[in-house]
């Protein structure tokens, strides 16, 4: 099976769940500021709300990035298949290209520097995902 023939739920779902729990742990470390006129109940409510917001924000962003990676990869592979064949670009380099384009597209509204940084980060994540895929890390036994 190829890298992009997997079901979307097998990649987007674990990315969401993992990032949600990571965001929840990050939210647990963020303590709300103490105000003089707050009761303990209001402080706990504010703390729990911040944990939930942080977890869902992390999860939504990670799931959107993975979904964009998959869609961008399929589109680039469809449009540039002949160019990949002409330049003899192997399957090991394609995920880095997909990740770089995805990162640039994901942060394109922020400006040039964040877009370049996200492209480099996306290429690194795409290469790491390809490394895990080729070493059969995702095969269930």
């Amino acid at each position: 099976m190829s890298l992009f023939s997997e079901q979307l739920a097998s990649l987007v779902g674990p990315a969401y769940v993992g990032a949600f729990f990571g965001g929840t742990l990050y939210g647990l470390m963020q303590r709300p500021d103490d105000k003089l006129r707050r009761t303990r109940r209001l402080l706990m409510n504010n703390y729990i709300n911040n944990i939930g917001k942080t977890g869902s924000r992390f999860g939504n962003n990670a799931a959107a990035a993975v979904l964009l990676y998959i869609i961008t990869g399929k589109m680039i592979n469809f449009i540039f298949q002949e160019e990949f064949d002409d330049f003899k670009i192997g399957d090991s380099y394609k995920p880095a290209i997909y990740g770089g384009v995805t990162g640039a597209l994901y942060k394109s509204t922020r400006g040039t520097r964040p877009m370049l940084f996200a492209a480099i980060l996306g290429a690194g994540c795409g290469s790491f995902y390809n490394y895990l895929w080729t070493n059969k890390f995702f095969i269930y036994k």
Side-chain angles (χ1 to χ4, degrees):
M1 297 181 82
S2 77
L3 184 67
F4 291 102
S5 64
E6 293 288 315
Q7 295 178 357
L8 291 179
S10 67
L11 296 174
V12 176
Y16 180 84
V17 170
F20 177 79
F21 284 121
T24 301
L25 291 175
Y26 180 75
L28 283 169
M29 292 186 292
Q30 302 298 321
R31 200 167 158 241
D33 56 338
D34 294 332
K35 299 215 176 173
L36 296 175
R37 297 210 162 188
R38 280 193 176 167
T39 63
R40 183 176 296 261
R41 182 177 175 189
L42 287 176
L43 281 173
M44 289 304 295
N45 188 15
N46 187 15
Y47 184 59
I48 291 170
N49 284 341
N50 283 336
I51 292 170
K53 285 179 189 176
T54 305
S56 65
R57 185 184 57 185
F58 276 47
N60 288 335
N61 287 336
V66 169
L67 182 65
L68 187 64
Y69 173 77
I70 292 169
I71 292 171
T72 303
K74 283 203 174 270
M75 183 188 69
I76 289 174
N77 197 25
F78 178 73
I79 293 173
F80 294 111
Q81 185 63 42
E82 292 177 1
E83 284 79 7
F84 286 153
D85 293 339
D86 290 343
F87 289 113
K88 295 178 180 62
I89 296 176
D91 287 337
S92 59
Y93 296 111
K94 287 180 185 179
I97 294 170
Y98 303 154
V101 172
T102 301
L105 185 63
Y106 193 71
K107 289 292 183 181
S108 62
T109 59
R110 297 277 185 161
T112 306
R113 292 180 75 189
M115 187 174 77
L116 289 175
F117 178 72
I120 293 168
L121 188 64
C125 289
S127 297
F128 182 65
Y129 179 71
N130 185 42
Y131 172 77
L132 294 176
W133 179 264
T134 55
N135 290 328
K136 301 194 182 348
F137 182 76
F138 296 117
I139 303 298
Y140 298 109
K141 296 177 184 176

